[in-house]
Amino acid sequence: MASWKITRLAVASCFSGALSVGWVEAKQVQLVPDGPEKTVFKWDERRCEPSFLPDAPARAFRRADGRITLLATHSDNWSLTGDSFETLSPSCTSVMRSSDYAARGMGSMWIEATYTRDGRAITGLASQDLTAQMTRAGCEVHGVPGRCWLNNIVAVRSNDMGQTFEVLPQETEVVASLGDVYRSELTERYGYFTTSNIVQKDGAFYVFMFAQGEGTQPSGNCLFRTADPFDPMSWKGWGGSGFNVVPRPQRGAVAACQPVAPHALPHEVRSLNYITSAGVWVAAFADRRKLPGDDGPVPGFYLSTSKDLLNWTAPSRIKASPTRPRIDSHDILTSYPSIIDPGSQSPNFDTIDSPNPVLLYTVQHLRNGQGTMNRDLNYVPLRINLKAD
């Protein structure tokens, strides 16, 4: 595969300061392409199975044996491993197949977040799609996009350096949910759908989960916090004045989280990183936005920055890229932006410690404007531009 440029810097203090509303605005940061697009994984050449394709944002962690695992999963969750990013290669064994949990009615699951302390035990969060279960239970789609789509976030765990993952037992599996039933009066998708990666700050752990709950939960990115990511029942969401939202109505807890900065973070936050040289967090997401100098809204990958994970700057563009089939392109569709620094000092790659992070994303090859399984995992090297406050 193409070489990743890796430059290591001395580690700055990554998590200084306390989380609170009203911090000063983050230093202005831009991440801009600094080289040609390259390919990490090419589906039509390197797939082990047809379903081994990138269908979620890329996540990486360092294992206890020094190797690196990168996940960009489908519901037949798979991984790439290597001694370095330059040697990543598909592991031709699923780390967790959704079909193995059919007896539990678990639906389809995509691992979207991981965290490890020692490189051996890895905790994870998976997006659980229960649409098929809802339609079998009698929900009628009626040709309405999103109808009958019920989604939860569930907990998974690995004790063998990420070579296999298991869904936690039934009493502890659900991390975030808006309920077990798609009600007949609903017309849109309903539940918690996606997550960012898990990050650490001052001994606490944070993750964004995108919620959408017609008549129940405002749509947007909800920030969750825990003191222990290995305790799935301990995650609590930001409710507007504190982390007091327990999102598990199955256990009698019904409360709406307050989406964070919806104008700055208008769509699902796909990755979250701390830039040590700037002292700011950066969130990446797909969007269509008109910035100064644009003739109209430009599709692509964008970022926003923050000092405290609650107050976020206006988005800036990382890279223009087609995000809607037949509207932006009849040939390719790009999605799932994720920023990873191969030179990160963190075993979870949640920090950007070198000047040379990369932007990873899925490239879906279309046929006559229609989607296909032919999807590659590509990246572009980035350069960090800091502007004076």
Side-chain angles (χ1 to χ4, degrees):
M1 71 178 270
S3 175
W4 297 51
K5 184 191 295 184
I6 302 178
T7 303
R8 293 187 178 275
L9 298 179
V11 183
S13 175
C14 298
F15 306 111
S16 60
L19 183 67
S20 61
V21 178
W23 276 36
V24 296
E25 183 173 310
K27 182 181 293 185
Q28 294 185 61
V29 175
Q30 289 183 325
L31 297 179
V32 297
D34 193 32
E37 180 181 51
K38 299 179 182 179
T39 300
V40 179
F41 169 81
K42 193 170 180 60
W43 181 85
D44 64 2
E45 295 178 0
R46 306 184 72 196
R47 68 184 184 275
C48 302
E49 300 179 26
S51 63
F52 282 21
L53 54 86
D55 195 40
R59 308 291 184 228
F61 56 87
R62 290 192 181 94
R63 303 181 352 174
D65 61 3
R67 306 196 80 199
I68 293 171
T69 289
L70 186 144
L71 299 162
T73 63
H74 188 262
S75 57
D76 283 335
N77 295 270
W78 64 289
S79 66
L80 298 100
T81 59
D83 294 329
S84 67
F85 279 102
E86 297 157 319
T87 61
L88 287 172
S89 181
S91 298
C92 288
T93 302
S94 170
V95 301
M96 187 185 82
R97 292 190 188 275
S98 297
S99 58
D100 290 344
Y101 294 89
R104 281 172 58 176
M106 294 294 293
S108 298
M109 294 173 285
W110 287 250
I111 298 174
E112 292 200 347
T114 58
Y115 198 89
T116 184
R117 293 188 178 99
D118 59 8
R120 186 169 299 279
I122 296 97
T123 186
L125 300 174
S127 175
Q128 177 193 42
D129 185 345
L130 295 170
T131 303
Q133 282 76 354
M134 295 304 103
T135 55
R136 283 197 294 268
C139 183
E140 297 181 1
V141 176
H142 299 309
V144 179
R147 179 167 164 76
C148 300
W149 184 355
L150 183 70
N151 217 92
N152 295 330
I153 303 300
V154 297
V156 300
R157 185 74 48 82
S158 172
N159 292 311
D160 59 6
M161 301 187 296
Q163 296 176 87
T164 60
F165 283 82
E166 293 182 346
V167 180
L168 266 60
Q170 287 180 304
E171 63 272 14
T172 58
E173 69 187 25
V174 177
V175 174
S177 172
L178 292 179
D180 291 328
V181 177
Y182 189 93
R183 303 191 309 274
S184 59
E185 69 271 19
L186 297 176
T187 61
E188 302 173 343
R189 64 178 191 166
Y190 190 82
Y192 286 90
F193 290 87
T194 64
T195 79
S196 69
N197 50 307
I198 298 169
V199 300
Q200 182 188 9
K201 180 178 173 64
D202 292 336
F205 300 83
Y206 300 86
V207 68
F208 273 115
M209 302 184 196
F210 191 89
Q212 184 173 339
E214 184 179 350
T216 302
Q217 166 66 56
S219 296
N221 292 285
C222 290
L223 186 64
F224 282 77
R225 183 178 72 180
T226 180
D228 181 6
F230 284 83
D231 178 3
M233 296 296 96
S234 65
W235 288 103
K236 293 184 179 180
W238 177 255
S241 59
F243 289 91
N244 51 17
V245 175
V246 181
R248 289 180 293 278
Q250 294 91 338
R251 291 172 170 263
V254 180
C257 61
Q258 178 175 300
V260 171
H263 295 295
L265 306 174
H267 302 292
E268 292 94 331
V269 170
R270 296 299 191 173
S271 76
L272 189 60
N273 305 83
Y274 189 82
I275 303 179
T276 55
S277 61
V280 298
W281 296 96
V282 57
F285 48 90
D287 195 11
R288 308 175 71 86
R289 185 170 291 265
K290 183 178 180 180
L291 299 180
D294 295 337
D295 293 331
V298 175
F301 304 132
Y302 289 76
L303 67 82
S304 179
T305 60
S306 174
K307 275 282 190 181
D308 61 1
L309 295 173
L310 291 174
N311 301 287
W312 291 84
T313 61
S316 63
R317 187 179 306 127
I318 306 173
K319 182 183 186 299
S321 197
T323 59
R324 291 185 184 177
R326 300 177 299 281
I327 298 175
D328 302 332
S329 171
H330 282 261
D331 300 318
I332 65 168
L333 177 69
T334 59
S335 54
Y336 308 124
S338 178
I339 298 170
I340 291 178
D341 176 16
S344 175
Q345 302 293 311
S346 167
N348 298 285
F349 296 93
D350 52 337
T351 61
I352 297 175
D353 299 315
S354 88
N356 307 119
V358 299
L359 172 71
L360 296 107
Y361 48 92
T362 294
V363 177
Q364 182 177 181
H365 298 274
L366 306 178
R367 184 180 296 116
N368 299 321
Q370 302 296 319
T372 70
M373 295 183 74
N374 187 355
R375 305 181 189 191
D376 303 331
L377 182 63
N378 284 12
Y379 76 92
V380 294
L382 300 175
R383 181 181 70 253
I384 300 173
N385 286 348
L386 302 181
K387 293 184 177 182
D389 290 334

